[in-house]
Amino acid sequence: MVKIPDINNKIPMMFRAQTAGRCQLQRIDTERTRNKEKQDVELWASEWIEKSYPEAPQFGKGVQTRPYQINWRFVTNAGQDDGIIRPVIGAYGWPYYPGSSMKGIFKTACTDEQKRRFCGEKIINKHGGEDWKPGILRFHGGYPSGEFWRENLVDIVHPQQPWQVGIEDNKSGGAFALISLYQPELIFGISADKSVDWDEVWQVWETALSKGIGCRVSTGYGQFNKTSEKPLYSARLKGQGMAPKLLNGEGEFRPNMFRGAIRGHALRIFGGLTDETQAINLVETLFGGIQGDGTVGLLAMSFEEISLTLGNFGRGSYAVPTYNIEGKLNWFLTQSLPEHQQKALTNLIKALTQFAMVFGGFGKSWRRAGHRLFYPDYYQQSDRKALIGCHWQWTGKRSLITDVKVRKIDKVGGFIDDVRRVAMDWMELQGVAPSPEDFCQSWREAWHPDNVQVWGRLADEAEDSRAVGWFHGPYRRGDRQFRIAEGTIYQSHLTGKVSQVGRVWHRMYPLVVLKKDPNNPQKPLPKNTPQFLEFFIFFPDNSQDSDELLHFLNSEQKLFQKLWPQTS
């Protein structure tokens, strides 16, 4: 009998138990990261693609096929490993979208007549029992084309919602791994046992695809570049900032940052209008959730990339990947709603997206204005400084006209009131009576007049920001002669740090004005200006630093004026 040394570690990761010391696909071991060692999930992925066949399985004779391009990532859950989402693996070791799943999503886009004709129906037999009458279509599933699907398989998710909003103060959920395909082209196969109008079949299938397929659809996974479905709401925008970093150290622009940010703002707004339980339930109705038996959200999101440049900034330990992107953000309805509810939902997602653009941005460091644009002096002395902030703005004529709701500093308070009013309209349609007196007082960032103050001013140009320096030095110089103490929030709990979310947002919002179009005086023409609306959003607490900052803001209203809550 021949003994194989160290046989336990020669078993492929795919066949090991999900337990400590054997294989933990979801866990990111920080010690391994420091030592630049591969994680279990990276070993699992490399072993998988090494043994998969070089050519994709071929559909049989008579199967009609069409390719469709996923615009970001795609994943199906095989359900074979506890605690980890990883793809279904089909013939030849290729990732596979099952025919049964394909049929299920196809049925959601059918009329009742199409559902019976294409997918089958129950009928009553002559004995009074039920029989199944098959439909005329057979669904053969989908495989990725080419070999590109093997790249960038290891994906990272980083739950932060409770930490960001302040439901669970300063307790980041940590990073977790999953396996997903990056921008694959999927080829789907359908056959029929009778003559069929294939234009009709593929039209139904494209309508189904517009809702997204696979897992984590509401977060932006499984969305396609071009489908026939009309978005509930869409907007064009562009931005720059720090790109998320994958396990291999490479940067990636991740469109789910839009969904995460807007979901967080929905929590903040509802958290200022009702209690914690109702606020969370309202958000899960919109975006989905895992409470109880789980909720499929009403909204799905996709991002159509127009241009993207990935780069790097900084040196040494301060080096980070960056993005500069422009694209179209689309929100889709995942299920039918009565017309009045659909209109209210359109108004709500539009208002939430506009709120996110006015007061922050998306992705890492969204609470800070992009220092490269608004505080370049910070980096002139050294390139060994962290990249801070991001910058987003509307683009495209339609968005510059319809999505820019704040064109003057004195319109900000009314804009906030309008967002809250739209949220209350939706709440009432969901059977929830707004009760601002019961708002989530324990949440750091619940948006309520007793919990947040918005201050603002008009800045003449990018480098005219007054507040950006407050994050790196005093907002008020001390004067011994007049016994004036230095005022500062630098390195305080109000500005936060890596492991702690602060209580201040700072935004430089580009000022866009409307002019008359000389070629068509009846229509407005948007015009970008060099000016910005500078916003300082503050969530006070009872600390001395907070009280001193509020005293400074109130005594220096020529610098910043209070925009919300408005005083009578």
Side-chain angles (χ1 to χ4, degrees):
M1 179 174 167
V2 178
K3 290 187 177 180
I4 302 175
D6 198 25
I7 189 171
N8 285 346
N9 289 324
K10 290 182 169 61
I11 298 171
M13 303 295 285
M14 188 175 289
F15 304 106
R16 298 190 191 185
Q18 290 294 308
T19 187
R22 299 301 299 139
C23 179
Q24 289 183 296
L25 296 183
Q26 192 179 36
R27 181 168 178 255
I28 304 299
D29 189 323
T30 54
E31 186 173 344
R32 286 194 190 182
T33 301
R34 283 194 298 269
N35 296 333
K36 297 184 178 180
E37 298 175 1
K38 285 192 173 183
Q39 304 285 343
D40 284 354
V41 67
E42 294 176 292
L43 295 171
W44 188 99
S46 62
E47 290 175 352
W48 170 32
I49 60 178
E50 181 183 337
K51 298 301 181 181
S52 62
Y53 280 45
E55 301 295 333
Q58 299 299 307
F59 291 102
K61 187 177 180 180
V63 177
Q64 301 286 320
T65 63
R66 278 198 184 180
Y68 293 90
Q69 179 77 44
I70 294 281
N71 66 11
W72 177 46
R73 284 187 174 272
F74 168 70
V75 64
T76 54
N77 191 1
Q80 292 181 256
D81 294 306
D82 291 338
I84 179 72
I85 295 175
R86 57 93 158 174
V88 178
I89 298 177
Y92 301 167
W94 279 56
Y96 174 59
Y97 186 65
S100 57
S101 299
M102 190 177 175
K103 182 177 181 179
I105 190 82
F106 185 92
K107 289 170 70 175
T108 65
C110 288
T111 64
D112 289 340
E113 185 277 328
Q114 288 173 327
K115 195 180 298 183
R116 291 191 297 269
R117 178 161 48 98
F118 289 145
C119 303
E121 62 179 327
K122 289 180 180 179
I123 58 173
I124 305 300
N125 59 35
K126 62 183 180 181
H127 304 294
E130 287 187 346
D131 285 337
W132 180 256
K133 180 183 178 182
I136 63 175
L137 297 183
R138 302 291 176 267
F139 298 89
H140 299 267
Y143 286 97
S145 64
E147 297 186 10
F148 181 69
W149 66 266
R150 292 180 170 90
E151 300 178 17
N152 298 320
L153 286 169
V154 180
D155 191 2
I156 296 293
V157 291
H158 195 178
Q160 292 198 26
Q161 180 177 282
W163 186 50
Q164 291 281 345
V165 178
I167 301 171
E168 298 174 6
D169 201 24
N170 302 320
K171 294 180 181 178
S172 176
F176 303 94
L178 59 84
I179 302 290
S180 65
L181 309 188
Y182 180 72
Q183 294 185 340
E185 181 186 66
L186 299 180
I187 300 176
F188 298 97
I190 305 175
S191 64
D193 58 10
K194 293 181 181 179
S195 177
V196 66
D197 181 349
W198 284 105
D199 288 339
E200 180 187 10
V201 171
W202 291 115
Q203 178 69 33
V204 173
W205 178 236
E206 289 186 7
T207 300
L209 291 183
S210 68
K211 305 179 191 311
I213 64 170
C215 301
R216 302 178 64 84
V217 168
S218 66
T219 67
Y221 286 72
Q223 302 290 343
F224 291 82
N225 281 335
K226 293 181 180 179
T227 63
S228 58
E229 188 76 358
K230 184 181 178 181
L232 191 69
Y233 164 68
S234 63
R236 188 165 161 178
L237 35 80
K238 63 181 179 180
Q240 58 177 280
M242 279 183 284
K245 189 184 293 187
L246 300 177
L247 283 180
N248 61 10
E250 295 180 2
E252 175 185 276
F253 180 78
R254 299 174 66 83
N256 60 347
M257 66 170 64
F258 298 110
R259 185 259 190 186
I262 293 171
R263 179 183 177 125
H265 288 313
L267 259 182
R268 293 176 179 91
I269 297 298
F270 288 129
L273 296 170
T274 187
D275 60 50
E276 179 172 315
T277 300
Q278 295 283 20
I280 291 174
N281 288 341
L282 285 162
V283 170
E284 294 204 346
T285 298
L286 294 172
F287 300 98
I290 57 174
Q291 290 194 119
D293 296 329
T295 303
V296 177
L298 291 170
L299 294 167
M301 183 218 79
S302 74
F303 184 75
E304 296 178 40
E305 187 180 297
I306 295 173
S307 65
L308 171 64
T309 302
L310 291 173
N312 291 284
F313 182 86
R315 294 180 59 192
S317 61
Y318 294 100
V320 292
T322 62
Y323 64 81
N324 196 315
I325 193 164
E326 181 174 350
K328 188 178 180 183
L329 178 63
N330 299 308
W331 290 96
F332 293 93
L333 191 61
T334 63
Q335 51 195 277
S336 60
L337 285 178
E339 185 177 350
H340 68 289
Q341 288 199 30
Q342 183 170 322
K343 182 179 179 180
L345 182 55
T346 303
N347 291 337
L348 178 61
I349 191 58
K350 183 186 298 185
L352 291 172
T353 305
Q354 292 164 351
F355 183 90
M357 285 288 284
V358 170
F359 293 121
F362 306 98
K364 288 187 172 185
S365 198
W366 65 265
R367 287 176 174 81
R368 297 289 180 268
H371 278 38
R372 284 188 295 178
L373 294 174
F374 303 107
Y375 197 27
D377 290 352
Y378 182 69
Y379 299 107
Q380 284 185 355
Q381 301 301 321
S382 172
D383 57 2
R384 293 185 178 273
K385 287 187 176 182
L387 181 60
I388 299 174
C390 65
H391 182 65
W392 287 86
Q393 61 191 75
W394 303 106
T395 185
K397 185 176 179 180
R398 181 176 175 276
S399 282
L400 288 172
I401 292 174
T402 63
D403 286 310
V404 178
K405 297 299 183 184
V406 177
R407 302 186 192 273
K408 294 182 179 180
I409 199 73
D410 58 2
K411 300 296 183 183
V412 175
F415 167 74
I416 296 171
D417 291 336
D418 287 344
V419 173
R420 284 164 54 88
R421 193 175 301 113
V422 167
M424 287 189 280
D425 291 343
W426 175 254
M427 290 171 66
E428 289 170 351
L429 289 175
Q430 300 302 301
V432 180
S435 53
E437 66 278 3
D438 297 322
F439 83 98
C440 305
Q441 298 182 38
S442 63
W443 293 8
R444 182 184 60 253
E445 293 182 349
W447 203 272
H448 187 277
D450 292 345
N451 203 52
V452 60
Q453 295 186 14
V454 179
W455 297 75
R457 59 180 289 271
L458 178 64
D460 291 331
E461 59 184 0
E463 294 185 40
D464 184 33
S465 170
R466 299 291 177 85
V468 68
W470 298 355
F471 300 99
H472 307 283
Y475 57 81
R476 182 187 61 221
R477 297 289 180 184
D479 191 319
R480 287 187 177 182
Q481 181 180 353
F482 295 99
R483 296 182 180 180
I484 298 174
E486 182 180 79
T488 184
I489 55 175
Y490 176 55
Q491 292 186 338
S492 73
H493 75 286
L494 300 182
T495 52
K497 51 188 177 182
V498 173
S499 60
Q500 178 194 38
V501 177
R503 306 185 74 89
V504 174
W505 305 356
H506 178 231
R507 170 71 160 131
M508 296 290 283
Y509 185 63
L511 181 62
V512 179
V513 297
L514 294 178
K515 300 290 186 180
K516 286 186 178 180
D517 187 342
N519 299 319
N520 190 348
Q522 302 302 315
K523 290 189 176 181
L525 189 67
K527 181 182 177 182
N528 290 298
T529 76
Q531 296 178 308
F532 294 83
L533 300 179
E534 181 174 13
F535 298 126
F536 189 82
I537 299 99
F538 184 35
F539 298 86
D541 59 11
N542 294 320
S543 67
Q544 182 177 344
D545 287 341
S546 175
D547 290 344
E548 289 180 357
L549 177 59
L550 280 179
H551 177 73
F552 171 78
L553 290 169
N554 280 293
S555 61
E556 298 287 342
Q557 291 208 17
K558 290 183 180 179
L559 180 63
F560 279 89
Q561 64 183 91
K562 189 175 181 181
L563 307 176
W564 196 86
Q566 296 169 312
T567 54
S568 55

